[in-house]
Amino acid sequence: MAGTAAALHILVKHKEQAEEILLQLKKGGKFQTLAKKYSNCPSAKKGGDLGEFKRGQMVPAFDKVAFSGEILTPHLVKTKFGWHVIKVLYRT
């Protein structure tokens, strides 16, 4: 079982905006560019890069996707912070 993961994410307030970002990604949009443009998280400056983190470090819904979601596929997740578009880069 993986103990760490690395991910990019985009944090927005509304589900509709998160869904629109997913559509842009499916049409070939660059994750880092969209993160810099739309994300409400300080990681936006780094293209949404959260770096590597341990299991249990993120809120439960985020953690679940980070450690069990398909790698390199954008996922939509709701947490107490808002709506996340998460792209898991790798797990170790």
Side-chain angles (χ1 to χ4, degrees):
M1 186 175 351
T4 62
L8 303 175
H9 89 133
I10 300 169
L11 175 63
V12 294
K13 289 186 189 282
H14 305 287
K15 184 178 183 182
E16 295 77 19
Q17 188 177 18
E19 289 172 338
E20 175 59 34
I21 290 166
L22 274 177
L23 280 175
Q24 289 184 46
L25 289 168
K26 286 179 182 167
K27 291 177 184 173
K30 298 273 185 251
F31 201 100
Q32 288 88 339
T33 303
L34 294 172
K36 286 177 183 175
K37 185 173 182 180
Y38 296 111
S39 186
N40 298 323
C41 180
S43 69
K45 292 183 197 112
K46 298 184 285 180
D49 190 351
L50 295 172
E52 196 172 279
F53 49 89
K54 293 179 181 167
R55 186 181 293 273
Q57 240 181 306
M58 302 295 182
V59 291
F62 193 105
D63 216 50
K64 183 178 179 186
V65 169
F67 289 95
S68 63
E70 196 174 326
I71 292 177
L72 301 178
T73 300
H75 301 275
L76 191 60
V77 177
K78 171 100 169 80
T79 72
K80 64 182 179 181
F81 301 106
W83 289 89
H84 302 260
V85 177
I86 303 170
K87 182 177 178 180
V88 181
L89 302 176
Y90 64 84
R91 295 184 192 104
T92 58

Coordinates of all heavy atoms in Angstrom, one line a residue:
M1 N 0.8 -1.2 0.0 CA 0.0 0.0 0.0 C 0.9 1.2 0.0 O 1.8 1.3 0.8 CB -0.9 0.0 1.2 CG -1.9 1.1 1.2 SD -3.1 1.2 2.5 CE -3.1 -0.2 3.5
A2 N 0.5 2.2 -0.8 CA 1.3 3.4 -1.0 C 1.3 4.3 0.3 O 0.2 4.4 1.0 CB 0.8 4.3 -2.1
G3 N 2.4 4.8 0.7 CA 2.5 5.6 1.9 C 2.5 7.1 1.6 O 2.2 7.9 2.4
T4 N 3.0 7.5 0.4 CA 3.0 8.9 -0.1 C 2.4 9.0 -1.5 O 2.4 8.0 -2.2 CB 4.4 9.5 -0.1 OG1 5.2 8.7 -1.0 CG2 5.1 9.4 1.3
A5 N 2.0 10.2 -1.8 CA 1.5 10.5 -3.1 C 1.9 11.9 -3.5 O 2.2 12.7 -2.6 CB -0.1 10.4 -3.2
A6 N 1.9 12.2 -4.7 CA 2.1 13.6 -5.2 C 1.0 14.0 -6.1 O 0.5 13.1 -6.9 CB 3.4 13.7 -5.9
A7 N 0.5 15.2 -6.0 CA -0.7 15.6 -6.8 C -0.7 17.1 -7.1 O 0.0 17.9 -6.4 CB -2.0 15.3 -6.0
L8 N -1.4 17.4 -8.1 CA -1.7 18.8 -8.5 C -3.2 19.0 -8.2 O -4.0 18.0 -8.3 CB -1.5 19.0 -10.0 CG -0.2 18.7 -10.6 CD1 -0.3 18.9 -12.1 CD2 0.9 19.6 -10.0
H9 N -3.6 20.2 -7.8 CA -5.0 20.4 -7.6 C -5.4 21.9 -7.9 O -4.6 22.8 -7.9 CB -5.5 20.0 -6.2 CG -5.4 21.1 -5.2 ND1 -6.4 21.3 -4.3 CD2 -4.4 21.9 -4.9 CE1 -6.0 22.3 -3.5 NE2 -4.8 22.7 -3.8
I10 N -6.7 22.0 -8.2 CA -7.3 23.3 -8.4 C -8.5 23.4 -7.5 O -9.3 22.5 -7.5 CB -7.8 23.5 -9.9 CG1 -6.6 23.3 -10.9 CG2 -8.5 24.8 -10.1 CD1 -7.0 23.2 -12.3
L11 N -8.5 24.4 -6.6 CA -9.5 24.6 -5.7 C -10.4 25.8 -6.0 O -10.0 26.9 -6.2 CB -8.9 24.9 -4.3 CG -9.9 25.2 -3.1 CD1 -10.8 24.0 -2.9 CD2 -9.1 25.6 -1.9
V12 N -11.8 25.5 -6.2 CA -12.7 26.5 -6.5 C -13.9 26.4 -5.5 O -14.1 25.4 -4.9 CB -13.2 26.5 -8.0 CG1 -12.0 26.8 -8.9 CG2 -13.8 25.1 -8.3
K13 N -14.8 27.4 -5.5 CA -15.9 27.4 -4.6 C -17.1 26.6 -5.1 O -17.9 26.1 -4.3 CB -16.3 28.8 -4.3 CG -15.4 29.6 -3.4 CD -16.0 31.0 -3.0 CE -15.0 31.9 -2.4 NZ -14.8 31.6 -1.0
H14 N -17.3 26.6 -6.4 CA -18.5 26.1 -7.0 C -18.3 24.9 -7.9 O -17.4 24.8 -8.6 CB -19.3 27.2 -7.7 CG -19.5 28.4 -6.9 ND1 -20.5 28.4 -5.9 CD2 -19.0 29.6 -6.9 CE1 -20.5 29.6 -5.4 NE2 -19.6 30.4 -6.0
K15 N -19.2 23.9 -7.7 CA -19.1 22.7 -8.5 C -19.2 23.0 -10.0 O -18.4 22.3 -10.8 CB -20.3 21.7 -8.1 CG -20.2 20.4 -8.8 CD -21.4 19.5 -8.4 CE -21.2 18.1 -9.1 NZ -22.4 17.3 -8.7
E16 N -20.0 23.9 -10.4 CA -20.1 24.2 -11.8 C -18.7 24.7 -12.4 O -18.4 24.3 -13.5 CB -21.1 25.3 -12.1 CG -22.5 25.0 -11.7 CD -22.8 24.9 -10.2 OE1 -22.1 25.6 -9.4 OE2 -23.8 24.3 -9.8
Q17 N -18.0 25.5 -11.6 CA -16.7 25.9 -12.1 C -15.7 24.8 -12.2 O -15.0 24.7 -13.1 CB -16.2 27.0 -11.2 CG -14.9 27.6 -11.8 CD -14.4 28.8 -11.0 OE1 -14.7 28.9 -9.8 NE2 -13.5 29.6 -11.6
A18 N -15.8 23.9 -11.2 CA -14.9 22.7 -11.2 C -15.2 21.8 -12.4 O -14.3 21.3 -13.1 CB -15.1 21.9 -9.9
E19 N -16.5 21.7 -12.7 CA -16.9 20.9 -13.9 C -16.4 21.5 -15.2 O -16.0 20.8 -16.1 CB -18.4 20.6 -13.9 CG -18.8 19.7 -12.8 CD -20.3 19.6 -12.6 OE1 -21.1 20.5 -13.0 OE2 -20.8 18.6 -12.1
E20 N -16.5 22.8 -15.3 CA -16.0 23.5 -16.4 C -14.5 23.4 -16.6 O -14.0 23.2 -17.7 CB -16.4 25.0 -16.3 CG -15.8 25.9 -17.4 CD -16.3 25.5 -18.8 OE1 -17.4 25.0 -19.0 OE2 -15.5 25.6 -19.8
I21 N -13.8 23.4 -15.5 CA -12.3 23.2 -15.6 C -12.0 21.7 -16.0 O -11.1 21.5 -16.9 CB -11.7 23.4 -14.2 CG1 -11.7 24.9 -13.9 CG2 -10.2 22.9 -14.1 CD1 -11.4 25.3 -12.5
L22 N -12.8 20.8 -15.6 CA -12.6 19.4 -16.1 C -12.8 19.3 -17.6 O -12.1 18.6 -18.3 CB -13.6 18.4 -15.4 CG -13.2 17.8 -14.0 CD1 -14.4 17.0 -13.5 CD2 -12.0 17.0 -14.1
L23 N -13.8 20.0 -18.1 CA -14.1 20.0 -19.5 C -12.9 20.6 -20.3 O -12.5 20.1 -21.3 CB -15.4 20.8 -19.8 CG -16.7 20.1 -19.6 CD1 -17.8 21.1 -19.9 CD2 -16.8 18.9 -20.5
Q24 N -12.4 21.7 -19.7 CA -11.2 22.3 -20.4 C -10.0 21.4 -20.4 O -9.3 21.3 -21.4 CB -10.8 23.6 -19.7 CG -11.8 24.8 -19.9 CD -11.4 26.1 -19.2 OE1 -10.3 26.5 -19.4 NE2 -12.3 26.7 -18.5
L25 N -9.8 20.6 -19.3 CA -8.7 19.7 -19.3 C -9.0 18.6 -20.3 O -8.0 18.2 -21.0 CB -8.6 19.0 -17.9 CG -8.1 20.0 -16.8 CD1 -8.3 19.3 -15.4 CD2 -6.6 20.3 -17.0
K26 N -10.2 18.1 -20.5 CA -10.5 17.1 -21.5 C -10.3 17.6 -22.9 O -10.0 16.8 -23.8 CB -11.9 16.6 -21.3 CG -12.1 15.7 -20.1 CD -13.5 15.2 -19.9 CE -13.6 14.4 -18.7 NZ -15.0 14.1 -18.2
K27 N -10.4 18.9 -23.1 CA -10.2 19.5 -24.4 C -8.7 19.8 -24.6 O -8.4 20.4 -25.6 CB -11.0 20.7 -24.6 CG -12.5 20.5 -24.6 CD -13.3 21.8 -24.7 CE -14.8 21.5 -24.7 NZ -15.5 22.8 -24.7
G28 N -7.8 19.4 -23.7 CA -6.4 19.6 -23.9 C -5.8 20.8 -23.1 O -4.6 21.1 -23.3
G29 N -6.6 21.4 -22.2 CA -6.1 22.5 -21.4 C -5.0 22.0 -20.5 O -5.0 20.8 -20.1
K30 N -4.0 22.8 -20.2 CA -2.9 22.5 -19.3 C -3.3 22.7 -17.9 O -3.7 23.8 -17.5 CB -1.7 23.4 -19.6 CG -1.2 23.2 -21.1 CD -0.2 22.1 -21.1 CE 0.5 22.0 -22.5 NZ 0.0 20.8 -23.2
F31 N -3.1 21.7 -17.1 CA -3.5 21.7 -15.7 C -2.8 22.9 -14.9 O -3.5 23.6 -14.2 CB -3.1 20.4 -15.0 CG -3.9 20.1 -13.7 CD1 -5.0 19.3 -13.7 CD2 -3.6 20.8 -12.5 CE1 -5.7 19.0 -12.6 CE2 -4.3 20.5 -11.4 CZ -5.4 19.7 -11.4
Q32 N -1.5 23.1 -15.1 CA -0.8 24.1 -14.4 C -1.3 25.5 -14.8 O -1.5 26.4 -13.9 CB 0.7 24.0 -14.6 CG 1.3 22.9 -13.9 CD 1.3 21.6 -14.8 OE1 0.6 21.4 -15.7 NE2 2.2 20.6 -14.4
T33 N -1.6 25.7 -16.0 CA -2.2 27.0 -16.5 C -3.5 27.3 -15.9 O -3.8 28.4 -15.4 CB -2.3 27.0 -18.0 OG1 -1.0 26.7 -18.6 CG2 -2.7 28.3 -18.6
L34 N -4.4 26.3 -15.9 CA -5.7 26.4 -15.3 C -5.7 26.7 -13.8 O -6.4 27.4 -13.2 CB -6.6 25.2 -15.6 CG -6.9 25.0 -17.1 CD1 -7.6 23.7 -17.4 CD2 -7.8 26.2 -17.6
A35 N -4.7 26.0 -13.1 CA -4.6 26.2 -11.7 C -4.2 27.6 -11.4 O -4.7 28.2 -10.5 CB -3.5 25.2 -11.1
K36 N -3.2 28.1 -12.1 CA -2.8 29.5 -11.9 C -3.9 30.5 -12.2 O -4.0 31.5 -11.5 CB -1.6 29.8 -12.8 CG -0.3 29.2 -12.4 CD 0.8 29.5 -13.3 CE 2.1 28.7 -12.9 NZ 3.2 28.9 -13.8
K37 N -4.8 30.2 -13.1 CA -5.9 31.1 -13.5 C -7.1 31.0 -12.5 O -7.6 32.1 -12.1 CB -6.4 30.8 -14.9 CG -7.4 31.7 -15.4 CD -7.7 31.4 -16.9 CE -8.7 32.4 -17.4 NZ -9.0 32.1 -18.8
Y38 N -7.4 29.8 -12.0 CA -8.7 29.7 -11.3 C -8.5 29.3 -9.8 O -9.4 29.5 -9.0 CB -9.5 28.6 -11.9 CG -10.0 28.9 -13.3 CD1 -9.5 28.2 -14.4 CD2 -10.9 29.9 -13.5 CE1 -9.9 28.6 -15.7 CE2 -11.3 30.3 -14.8 CZ -10.8 29.6 -15.9 OH -11.3 29.9 -17.2
S39 N -7.5 28.6 -9.4 CA -7.4 28.1 -8.1 C -7.4 29.1 -7.0 O -6.7 30.1 -7.1 CB -6.2 27.1 -7.9 OG -6.2 26.5 -6.7
N40 N -8.1 28.8 -5.9 CA -8.1 29.7 -4.7 C -7.1 29.3 -3.7 O -7.0 29.8 -2.6 CB -9.5 29.6 -4.0 CG -10.6 30.1 -4.9 OD1 -10.4 31.0 -5.7 ND2 -11.7 29.5 -4.8
C41 N -6.3 28.3 -4.0 CA -5.3 27.8 -3.0 C -3.9 28.5 -3.3 O -3.6 28.8 -4.4 CB -5.1 26.3 -3.3 SG -3.9 25.5 -2.2
P42 N -3.2 28.7 -2.2 CA -1.8 29.2 -2.4 C -1.0 28.4 -3.4 O -0.1 29.0 -4.0 CB -1.2 29.2 -1.0 CG -2.4 29.3 -0.1 CD -3.5 28.5 -0.8
S43 N -1.2 27.1 -3.5 CA -0.5 26.3 -4.5 C -0.7 26.7 -5.9 O 0.0 26.3 -6.8 CB -0.9 24.8 -4.3 OG -2.2 24.6 -4.8
A44 N -1.7 27.6 -6.2 CA -1.9 28.1 -7.5 C -0.7 28.7 -8.2 O -0.4 28.5 -9.4 CB -3.1 29.1 -7.5
K45 N 0.1 29.4 -7.3 CA 1.3 30.0 -7.8 C 2.3 29.0 -8.4 O 3.1 29.3 -9.3 CB 2.0 30.8 -6.7 CG 1.3 32.0 -6.2 CD 2.1 32.7 -5.1 CE 1.2 33.6 -4.3 NZ 1.0 33.2 -3.0
K46 N 2.2 27.7 -7.9 CA 3.1 26.7 -8.4 C 2.3 25.7 -9.4 O 2.6 24.6 -9.5 CB 3.6 25.8 -7.2 CG 4.5 26.6 -6.2 CD 5.0 25.8 -5.1 CE 3.9 25.4 -4.2 NZ 4.3 24.6 -3.1
G47 N 1.3 26.3 -10.0 CA 0.5 25.5 -11.0 C -0.3 24.4 -10.3 O -0.6 23.4 -10.9
G48 N -0.6 24.6 -9.0 CA -1.4 23.6 -8.3 C -0.6 22.5 -7.6 O -1.2 21.6 -7.1
D49 N 0.7 22.6 -7.7 CA 1.5 21.5 -7.2 C 1.5 21.5 -5.7 O 2.0 22.4 -5.0 CB 3.0 21.7 -7.7 CG 3.9 20.5 -7.5 OD1 3.4 19.6 -6.8 OD2 5.0 20.5 -8.0
L50 N 1.1 20.3 -5.2 CA 1.1 20.1 -3.7 C 2.3 19.4 -3.2 O 2.5 19.2 -2.0 CB -0.2 19.3 -3.3 CG -1.5 20.0 -3.5 CD1 -2.7 19.1 -3.3 CD2 -1.6 21.3 -2.7
G51 N 3.1 18.9 -4.2 CA 4.3 18.1 -3.8 C 3.9 16.8 -3.3 O 2.8 16.3 -3.6
E52 N 4.8 16.2 -2.5 CA 4.6 14.8 -2.0 C 4.0 15.0 -0.6 O 4.5 15.8 0.2 CB 5.9 14.1 -2.0 CG 5.7 12.6 -1.9 CD 7.0 11.8 -2.1 OE1 7.3 11.6 -3.3 OE2 7.6 11.5 -1.1
F53 N 3.0 14.1 -0.3 CA 2.4 14.2 1.1 C 2.1 12.7 1.5 O 2.0 11.8 0.7 CB 1.2 15.0 1.1 CG 0.2 14.7 0.0 CD1 -0.8 13.8 0.1 CD2 0.3 15.4 -1.2 CE1 -1.7 13.5 -0.9 CE2 -0.6 15.1 -2.3 CZ -1.6 14.1 -2.1
K54 N 2.0 12.6 2.8 CA 1.7 11.2 3.4 C 0.3 11.0 3.5 O -0.6 11.9 3.6 CB 2.4 11.2 4.8 CG 3.9 11.2 4.8 CD 4.4 11.1 6.2 CE 6.0 11.2 6.1 NZ 6.6 11.4 7.4
R55 N -0.1 9.7 3.5 CA -1.5 9.3 3.8 C -1.9 9.9 5.1 O -1.2 9.9 6.1 CB -1.5 7.7 3.8 CG -2.9 7.2 3.9 CD -2.8 5.6 4.0 NE -2.3 5.0 2.8 CZ -3.1 4.7 1.8 NH1 -4.3 4.9 1.8 NH2 -2.5 4.1 0.7
G56 N -3.1 10.4 5.1 CA -3.7 11.0 6.3 C -3.4 12.5 6.5 O -3.9 13.1 7.4
Q57 N -2.5 13.1 5.6 CA -2.1 14.5 5.8 C -3.2 15.4 5.2 O -3.3 16.5 5.7 CB -0.8 14.7 5.0 CG 0.3 15.2 5.9 CD 1.6 15.5 5.0 OE1 2.1 14.6 4.3 NE2 2.1 16.7 5.1
M58 N -3.9 14.9 4.2 CA -5.0 15.7 3.6 C -6.3 15.4 4.3 O -6.5 14.4 4.9 CB -5.0 15.5 2.1 CG -3.8 15.8 1.4 SD -3.4 17.5 1.5 CE -1.9 17.6 0.5
V59 N -7.4 16.2 4.0 CA -8.7 15.9 4.5 C -9.1 14.5 3.9 O -8.7 14.2 2.8 CB -9.7 17.0 4.2 CG1 -9.4 18.2 5.1 CG2 -9.8 17.3 2.8
P60 N -10.0 13.8 4.6 CA -10.4 12.4 4.2 C -10.8 12.2 2.7 O -10.3 11.3 2.0 CB -11.5 12.0 5.1 CG -11.2 12.8 6.4 CD -10.6 14.1 5.9
A61 N -11.7 13.1 2.2 CA -12.1 12.9 0.8 C -11.0 13.1 -0.2 O -10.9 12.4 -1.2 CB -13.3 13.9 0.5
F62 N -10.2 14.1 0.1 CA -9.0 14.3 -0.8 C -8.0 13.1 -0.7 O -7.5 12.6 -1.7 CB -8.3 15.6 -0.3 CG -7.3 16.1 -1.3 CD1 -7.6 17.2 -2.1 CD2 -6.0 15.5 -1.4 CE1 -6.6 17.7 -3.0 CE2 -5.1 16.0 -2.3 CZ -5.4 17.1 -3.1
D63 N -7.8 12.7 0.5 CA -6.9 11.6 0.8 C -7.3 10.3 0.0 O -6.5 9.6 -0.6 CB -6.8 11.3 2.3 CG -5.5 10.8 2.8 OD1 -4.5 11.5 2.5 OD2 -5.4 9.8 3.5
K64 N -8.6 10.1 0.1 CA -9.2 8.9 -0.6 C -8.8 8.9 -2.1 O -8.4 7.8 -2.6 CB -10.7 8.8 -0.4 CG -11.3 7.6 -1.0 CD -12.8 7.5 -0.7 CE -13.4 6.3 -1.3 NZ -14.9 6.3 -1.2
V65 N -9.0 10.0 -2.7 CA -8.7 10.1 -4.2 C -7.2 10.0 -4.4 O -6.8 9.3 -5.3 CB -9.3 11.3 -4.8 CG1 -8.8 11.6 -6.2 CG2 -10.8 11.3 -4.8
A66 N -6.5 10.7 -3.6 CA -5.0 10.7 -3.7 C -4.4 9.3 -3.6 O -3.4 9.0 -4.3 CB -4.4 11.6 -2.7
F67 N -5.0 8.4 -2.8 CA -4.4 7.1 -2.6 C -5.2 6.0 -3.3 O -4.7 4.8 -3.2 CB -4.2 6.9 -1.1 CG -3.1 7.7 -0.6 CD1 -3.4 8.9 0.0 CD2 -1.8 7.3 -0.7 CE1 -2.3 9.7 0.5 CE2 -0.7 8.1 -0.2 CZ -1.0 9.3 0.4
S68 N -6.3 6.3 -3.9 CA -7.0 5.2 -4.6 C -7.6 5.5 -5.9 O -8.0 4.7 -6.7 CB -8.2 4.6 -3.7 OG -9.1 5.6 -3.5
G69 N -7.5 6.8 -6.3 CA -8.0 7.3 -7.6 C -7.0 6.9 -8.7 O -5.8 6.7 -8.4
E70 N -7.5 6.9 -9.9 CA -6.6 6.6 -11.0 C -5.6 7.7 -11.2 O -5.9 8.9 -11.1 CB -7.5 6.6 -12.3 CG -6.8 5.9 -13.5 CD -7.7 5.7 -14.7 OE1 -8.9 5.5 -14.4 OE2 -7.2 5.8 -15.8
I71 N -4.4 7.3 -11.4 CA -3.2 8.2 -11.6 C -3.3 9.0 -12.9 O -3.7 8.4 -13.9 CB -1.9 7.5 -11.4 CG1 -1.7 7.0 -10.0 CG2 -0.7 8.4 -11.8 CD1 -0.5 6.2 -9.7
L72 N -3.0 10.3 -12.9 CA -3.0 11.1 -14.1 C -4.3 11.4 -14.7 O -4.4 12.0 -15.8 CB -2.0 10.6 -15.2 CG -0.5 10.4 -14.7 CD1 0.3 9.9 -15.9 CD2 0.0 11.8 -14.2
T73 N -5.4 11.0 -14.0 CA -6.8 11.3 -14.5 C -7.4 12.3 -13.5 O -7.4 12.1 -12.3 CB -7.6 10.0 -14.4 OG1 -7.0 9.1 -15.3 CG2 -9.0 10.3 -14.9
P74 N -7.8 13.5 -14.0 CA -8.4 14.5 -13.1 C -9.7 13.9 -12.4 O -10.5 13.3 -13.1 CB -8.8 15.6 -14.1 CG -7.9 15.4 -15.2 CD -7.7 14.0 -15.4
H75 N -9.8 14.2 -11.1 CA -10.9 13.8 -10.3 C -11.6 15.0 -9.7 O -10.9 16.0 -9.4 CB -10.5 12.9 -9.2 CG -9.8 11.6 -9.7 ND1 -10.5 10.5 -10.0 CD2 -8.5 11.3 -9.8 CE1 -9.6 9.6 -10.4 NE2 -8.4 10.1 -10.3
L76 N -12.9 15.0 -9.5 CA -13.6 16.0 -8.8 C -13.9 15.6 -7.4 O -14.5 14.5 -7.2 CB -14.9 16.3 -9.6 CG -15.7 17.5 -9.3 CD1 -14.9 18.8 -9.5 CD2 -17.0 17.6 -10.1
V77 N -13.6 16.4 -6.4 CA -13.8 16.1 -5.0 C -14.3 17.3 -4.2 O -13.8 18.4 -4.4 CB -12.5 15.6 -4.4 CG1 -12.7 15.3 -2.9 CG2 -11.9 14.4 -5.1
K78 N -15.3 17.0 -3.4 CA -15.8 18.1 -2.5 C -15.3 17.9 -1.1 O -15.3 16.8 -0.6 CB -17.4 18.0 -2.5 CG -18.0 18.9 -1.4 CD -18.6 20.1 -2.1 CE -19.5 20.9 -1.1 NZ -18.8 21.7 -0.2
T79 N -14.7 19.0 -0.6 CA -14.3 19.0 0.8 C -14.8 20.3 1.5 O -15.5 21.1 0.9 CB -12.7 19.0 0.9 OG1 -12.2 20.3 0.6 CG2 -12.1 17.9 0.1
K80 N -14.5 20.4 2.8 CA -14.9 21.6 3.5 C -14.3 22.9 2.9 O -14.8 24.0 3.2 CB -14.6 21.5 5.0 CG -13.1 21.4 5.3 CD -12.8 21.2 6.8 CE -11.3 21.2 7.0 NZ -11.0 21.0 8.5
F81 N -13.3 22.8 2.1 CA -12.6 23.9 1.5 C -13.3 24.4 0.2 O -13.0 25.5 -0.3 CB -11.1 23.6 1.3 CG -10.4 23.3 2.5 CD1 -10.0 22.0 2.8 CD2 -10.1 24.3 3.5 CE1 -9.3 21.7 4.0 CE2 -9.5 24.0 4.7 CZ -9.1 22.6 4.9
G82 N -14.0 23.5 -0.4 CA -14.6 23.7 -1.7 C -14.5 22.5 -2.6 O -14.5 21.4 -2.2
W83 N -14.5 22.8 -3.9 CA -14.4 21.8 -4.9 C -13.0 21.7 -5.5 O -12.4 22.7 -5.8 CB -15.4 22.0 -6.1 CG -16.8 21.8 -5.6 CD1 -17.6 22.7 -5.1 CD2 -17.5 20.6 -5.7 NE1 -18.8 22.1 -4.8 CE2 -18.8 20.8 -5.1 CE3 -17.2 19.3 -6.1 CZ2 -19.7 19.8 -5.1 CZ3 -18.1 18.3 -6.1 CH2 -19.4 18.6 -5.5
H84 N -12.4 20.5 -5.5 CA -11.1 20.3 -5.9 C -11.1 19.5 -7.3 O -11.8 18.5 -7.4 CB -10.3 19.4 -5.0 CG -10.2 19.9 -3.6 ND1 -9.1 20.6 -3.1 CD2 -11.0 19.9 -2.6 CE1 -9.3 21.0 -1.9 NE2 -10.5 20.5 -1.5
V85 N -10.3 19.9 -8.2 CA -10.0 19.1 -9.3 C -8.5 18.6 -9.0 O -7.6 19.4 -8.9 CB -10.0 19.9 -10.7 CG1 -9.6 19.0 -11.8 CG2 -11.3 20.5 -10.9
I86 N -8.4 17.2 -8.8 CA -7.2 16.6 -8.4 C -6.6 15.8 -9.5 O -7.3 15.0 -10.1 CB -7.4 15.8 -7.1 CG1 -8.1 16.6 -6.0 CG2 -6.1 15.1 -6.7 CD1 -8.6 15.7 -4.9
K87 N -5.3 15.9 -9.7 CA -4.6 15.0 -10.6 C -3.4 14.4 -9.8 O -2.5 15.1 -9.4 CB -4.1 15.8 -11.8 CG -3.3 15.0 -12.8 CD -2.9 15.9 -14.0 CE -2.2 15.2 -15.0 NZ -1.8 16.1 -16.1
V88 N -3.5 13.1 -9.6 CA -2.5 12.4 -8.8 C -1.4 12.1 -9.8 O -1.6 11.5 -10.9 CB -3.1 11.1 -8.2 CG1 -2.0 10.3 -7.4 CG2 -4.3 11.4 -7.3
L89 N -0.2 12.5 -9.5 CA 1.0 12.3 -10.3 C 1.6 10.9 -10.1 O 2.0 10.3 -11.1 CB 2.0 13.4 -10.1 CG 1.5 14.8 -10.3 CD1 2.6 15.8 -10.0 CD2 1.1 15.0 -11.8
Y90 N 1.8 10.5 -8.9 CA 2.4 9.2 -8.5 C 2.1 8.9 -7.1 O 1.7 9.7 -6.3 CB 3.9 9.2 -8.9 CG 4.7 10.1 -8.0 CD1 5.2 9.7 -6.8 CD2 5.1 11.4 -8.5 CE1 6.0 10.6 -6.0 CE2 5.8 12.2 -7.7 CZ 6.3 11.8 -6.5 OH 7.0 12.7 -5.7
R91 N 2.4 7.6 -6.8 CA 2.3 7.1 -5.4 C 3.6 6.3 -5.1 O 4.1 5.7 -6.0 CB 1.1 6.2 -5.2 CG -0.2 6.9 -5.3 CD -1.3 5.9 -4.9 NE -2.6 6.5 -5.4 CZ -3.3 6.2 -6.4 NH1 -2.8 5.1 -7.2 NH2 -4.4 6.8 -6.8
T92 N 4.1 6.4 -3.9 CA 5.2 5.5 -3.5 C 4.9 4.7 -2.2 O 4.0 5.1 -1.5 CB 6.5 6.4 -3.2 OG1 6.2 7.3 -2.2 CG2 6.9 7.1 -4.5

